[in-house]
Amino acid sequence: MELLVEEPSMEAFLRELLPRIIPAGRTFDIHAFQGKPDLLGKLESRLRGYAHWLPEDWRLIVVVDRDGDDCRKLKRRMEAMAVTAGLKSRSQARSHRWQIVNRIAVEELEAWYFGDWEAVRNAYPRVSPNVSGKQGFRDPDAVAGGTWQAFERILKQHGYFQTGLRKVEAARALGARIDPQRNRSRSFMRFHEAILEAIA
């Protein structure tokens, strides 16, 4: 399994999370880009390269943040690149015989942290246990005003990351603790489903 992600914090998160999900004997690699424009700008040519040699039992998973983009338009753009490159996407295949799946974190990786607040409390015990029940945080994929900014603000309020959120450090801590079965983020659940399908 090969994963293409937009930046180092998603890579750090997945390098902790995936070994806890993937059975022994299955392997993965992660390629981080220098941001979403870099990944999307290079994606089609990268996929063309994969299309020439991708073994039948390999799967590609592309993960980007939605940020302020229209989710459907972003997904269509990514799907079109896969088709143009000659790869069969999960959306097209409508079966387990796909080569590539595109997944979008809504709106950012930090939404997946809000989806499992128990994991956040485990990593940062001084944060309030009630955050995920408060208005504005009940739906992890609909945190208004910037998900990472909200996450940083909460951690600062409780004495963590006073000089600013160190995203890679937090990603490692949360990737090691998030429970996929417990996570309430719909975008995380879709990502997790794709991983399980890829290793089935």
Side-chain angles (χ1 to χ4, degrees):
M1 183 164 58
E2 298 258 317
L3 296 101
L4 307 181
V5 303
E6 67 176 56
E7 38 86 30
S9 59
M10 181 62 86
E11 178 184 10
F13 176 80
L14 294 177
R15 287 201 182 280
E16 294 294 333
L17 176 74
L18 293 181
R20 299 191 291 115
I21 297 175
I22 296 175
R26 299 298 183 94
T27 61
F28 71 90
D29 202 2
I30 304 172
H31 306 279
F33 289 73
Q34 298 303 312
K36 186 171 164 186
D38 183 42
L39 170 56
L40 294 178
K42 295 174 180 170
L43 185 59
E44 190 173 313
S45 64
R46 192 71 176 255
L47 296 182
R48 285 182 195 276
Y50 278 116
H52 287 297
W53 63 266
L54 195 72
E56 192 175 316
D57 60 342
W58 283 39
R59 298 289 181 271
L60 295 173
I61 299 179
V62 184
V63 187
V64 298
D65 290 347
R66 189 199 71 185
D67 300 316
D69 287 338
D70 180 299
C71 201
R72 292 175 194 271
K73 287 182 182 174
L74 177 59
K75 181 78 180 289
R76 280 199 298 269
R77 180 182 174 194
M78 295 167 72
E79 291 287 324
M81 284 192 250
V83 171
T84 303
L87 293 169
K88 186 181 291 184
S89 77
R90 184 177 183 270
S91 302
Q92 289 179 306
R94 301 182 186 282
S95 73
H96 290 258
R97 298 180 65 81
W98 50 269
Q99 294 173 294
I100 180 171
V101 64
N102 294 300
R103 285 292 171 257
I104 300 170
V106 179
E107 83 188 35
E108 298 164 323
L109 169 62
E110 286 75 11
W112 295 0
Y113 308 163
F114 279 107
D116 183 3
W117 200 249
E118 192 173 327
V120 175
R121 287 262 301 148
N122 184 273
Y124 306 106
R126 292 196 300 273
V127 298
S128 167
N130 303 319
V131 168
S132 58
K134 289 183 177 176
Q135 188 173 3
F137 297 102
R138 291 182 194 132
D139 180 350
D141 296 318
V143 176
T147 313
W148 81 259
Q149 292 93 334
F151 185 71
E152 178 186 65
R153 191 165 52 249
I154 291 167
L155 290 186
K156 277 186 170 182
Q157 286 168 355
H158 293 86
Y160 299 99
F161 298 113
Q162 292 302 306
T163 58
L165 179 65
R166 294 184 295 279
K167 289 186 172 185
V168 171
E169 179 184 323
R172 282 197 194 101
L174 274 303
R177 290 170 172 83
I178 275 179
D179 180 348
Q181 304 302 327
R182 194 170 55 203
N183 201 302
R184 299 181 302 110
S185 161
R186 293 185 306 281
S187 63
F188 178 84
M189 287 190 257
R190 298 291 306 275
F191 168 78
H192 184 229
E193 286 168 7
I195 293 289
L196 295 181
E197 229 176 80
I199 60 176

